[in-house]
Amino acid sequence: MALPDAVALVDLALKATSAYGRPDLGKRLQATRSRLADPNVRVLIVGEFKQGKSQLVNALVNAPVCPVDDDIATAVPTVVKYAEAAGVTLVRESQSDSGEPLPAQRTEVPIEQLAQYVSEAGNPGNRHQLTYAEVGLPRRLLESGLVLVDTPGVGGLGSSHGAATMGALPRADAVLLVSDAAQEYTAPELEFLAAARQLCPNVACVITKTDLYPHWRRIVELDQGHLRVVGESPRVFPVSSTLRLHALRTEDTALMEESGYVELIHYLQRDVVGHADDLDRRSVSQDVLAVSQQLAASMQSELIAQEDPEKAAGLIEQLKEAKQKADDLRQRSARWQQTLNDGVQDLTSDIEYDLRDRLRSVSREAEHVIDQSDPKDTWDQFTTWFEQQVSQSVTQNFVWTIQRTQYLATQVAEHFSENGSGQLPELNYGQQDFQSELAHLEKPDLEVVGIGSKLFTGVRGGYSGFVMGGMAMGLAGISMLNPLSAGAGLLFGGKTLHDELKRNKQRRQADAKQAMRRHIDDTTFQVGRDVRDMLRQLQRTLRDHFSSVAEEMSTSLADAVMSAQKAVQTVEGGRATRIRDLRAELERIDNMAQRAKALDPVGSQAAFSSGGAALGAGR
């Protein structure tokens, strides 16, 4: 649920913007109010195939929402959130030809049919084209806004599913990396963890199935050692879903402690949901403080002019200079605008080059692998290896893209803050909740020579060799039917068959390379388009945000100039009354600012002092 103190403060600030005639500031607060109305805290459950992710979700919410069985694997992300009544909604998201998101298609189905849509057995290859399934449950754990996302693990973290999961990480509030106690962490798991930590700082590890493996404590020690070696230090929670569910049925407190879920749930409530609440309070505090500064600007300038009319001329000049600086920020020639436009162009070029370079390396290595084997014998193994290499390259490119965009956004904010408030907006790294998965490598027509074809080729070559040998023997006066002619036939037949098999193998290798190159081209096109769309969205977000801030500053300073000019014209008899009214209004605004500071005592002080510098130029 939304934070009541923050909601009440935003509502109060909205009334103030309406009362003082500042609808432009009201738009900012409406966006803040909308964020508070959607307090969802997304936790991605990720891991390799059959590691206990779905059972972990079931144990957390004490309901069999995610299908679990030895022959069932999750094929579609399952989003579990709070609802007054249990229900399932299937969601299909799509984009127009221009890349704009289309309205999502939402279809409600009985909760008993969930497995038919989210499992590999019921929905092989996601033939229903679902983006995700949304499950609503009336659970106290979820009531605070916690949302659990069970992600597919089919094919491993380096698969196309892994790449899609990686694309959802920047929009996640936390990540739980799930691995069972059967073995220690594998190299792909550690690589995924390192990448996840760069995109989502709040990452924890869960070791499942401790009830099945007596040596689970040793596995936990080894995993913690691996994490220290690679320089990672996330929390590690060994748990048993079976013990948790049994403890819930029998209300056994001791068994619940032994299951390990008590610490995990405390972590989710305190460090994940609690941290998100702190961020919401900080965001509300900064927005309300900024609005308070804008509302107070004109009143403070008028108050100074009313109290000391002799200083009004100098004050008005200072305010005009500050307004001119704010107006300059709105120009396309402003430094922050140039930094943003040039940065996006450079970033697009760099990201596309990095992607092509990575995939070119994969292509060269794949060609070498194909040259060393016959695709008809190794195609399945090659496909698995190749798709993992492509997925890892795309993932590494995506991580680098996010890092570069964050750096660019910080640069733009710094250049804007030279003359104004450089607070960053919430960056959206994709318009869909889950990025589209990478396409699978299409299998070419690998022609295999049958026994009949081999026999025909051998006979044809043998006949030619036998005839040629017999004619040579005939010139020497020897009969055509002799052992030498037969030997020549066998030799030519074997040579012809060998050459034909070699040509067929080379043709299969060429077809395999062609299929591989087409896949590389398709991946480059798909990922390149997604990256360009993401960068365009980033550019629009930063441009609209800082343009709006500059517009607000210009309006506030224009009002301040006008108020100061009116103050000079005030008759002496009404000056005392106007000063008293201004002080009363400023006191109300200051009370609102103090409530905003109380929401975030640490961050608000720095935000207030830096954000008010531009508006306080004439005080």
Side-chain angles (χ1 to χ4, degrees), residues 370-390:
I370 292 175
D371 288 336
Q372 301 300 314
S373 61
D374 191 339
K376 74 178 179 64
D377 299 326
T378 61
W379 181 255
D380 292 339
Q381 297 90 327
F382 171 79
T383 299
T384 301
W385 170 84
F386 177 72
E387 289 184 351
Q388 287 181 347
Q389 296 300 311
V390 171

Side-chain angles (χ1 to χ4, degrees), residues 344-383:
V344 169
Q345 292 179 4
D346 294 343
L347 186 55
T348 302
S349 176
D350 291 345
I351 295 302
E352 290 183 347
Y353 174 80
D354 177 77
L355 177 65
R356 289 195 300 268
D357 183 62
R358 294 180 188 274
L359 293 180
R360 189 180 295 113
S361 298
V362 173
S363 178
R364 286 195 293 265
E365 189 173 358
E367 289 184 358
H368 177 72
V369 171
I370 292 175
D371 288 336
Q372 301 300 314
S373 61
D374 191 339
K376 74 178 179 64
D377 299 326
T378 61
W379 181 255
D380 292 339
Q381 297 90 327
F382 171 79
T383 299

Side-chain angles (χ1 to χ4, degrees), residues 60-61 82 137-146 269:
L60 282 170
V61 300
Y82 178 79
L137 289 176
R139 291 293 185 271
R140 182 181 303 176
L141 177 65
L142 307 176
E143 193 172 4
S144 61
L146 182 65
Q269 293 176 332

Side-chain angles (χ1 to χ4, degrees), residues 413-433:
E414 289 177 353
H415 292 171
F416 184 89
S417 64
E418 294 175 357
N419 301 97
S421 174
Q423 179 184 347
L424 276 174
E426 181 179 357
L427 300 180
N428 182 11
Y429 295 106
Q431 297 175 337
Q432 293 184 337
D433 283 340

Side-chain angles (χ1 to χ4, degrees), residues 253-325:
T253 305
L255 194 61
M256 180 65 70
E257 290 284 347
E258 186 178 351
S259 71
Y261 271 82
V262 175
E263 290 188 14
L264 178 59
I265 292 176
H266 285 171
Y267 165 77
L268 292 174
Q269 293 176 332
R270 182 184 62 251
D271 295 349
V272 177
V273 177
H275 179 66
D277 289 345
D278 292 340
L279 293 179
D280 285 340
R281 286 191 177 91
R282 178 168 300 175
S283 176
V284 169
S285 175
Q286 292 175 346
D287 287 342
V288 174
L289 278 173
V291 168
S292 300
Q293 294 161 8
Q294 306 264 14
L295 293 176
S298 61
M299 298 181 192
Q300 287 172 333
S301 62
E302 182 181 355
L303 179 61
I304 293 174
Q306 291 282 9
E307 291 178 335
D308 191 352
E310 295 181 357
K311 295 182 178 179
L315 173 64
I316 292 173
E317 287 302 319
Q318 292 180 17
L319 289 172
K320 286 183 177 179
E321 291 179 4
K323 182 181 182 302
Q324 183 59 48
K325 292 181 179 179

Side-chain angles (χ1 to χ4, degrees), residues 486-558:
L490 291 175
L491 180 63
F492 272 77
K495 180 67 168 58
T496 302
L497 179 59
H498 177 269
D499 291 343
E500 183 65 20
L501 293 177
K502 184 178 180 180
R503 282 192 297 270
N504 287 333
K505 178 182 177 181
Q506 291 174 341
R507 187 160 49 247
R508 288 192 294 269
Q509 290 175 333
D511 292 342
K513 290 180 181 179
Q514 187 64 27
M516 179 268 297
R517 295 188 186 107
R518 283 198 304 269
H519 184 81
I520 291 289
D521 291 340
D522 292 342
T523 301
T524 302
F525 174 78
Q526 174 187 347
V527 177
R529 182 195 61 188
D530 291 342
V531 168
R532 286 191 295 272
D533 291 343
M534 183 182 70
L535 292 178
R536 279 196 296 268
Q537 177 67 22
L538 173 75
Q539 186 177 18
R540 294 191 193 105
T541 300
L542 293 176
R543 181 196 62 205
D544 295 346
H545 169 75
F546 288 117
S547 296
S548 176
V549 172
E551 179 71 26
E552 293 170 1
M553 292 170 55
S554 178
T555 303
S556 298
L557 290 167

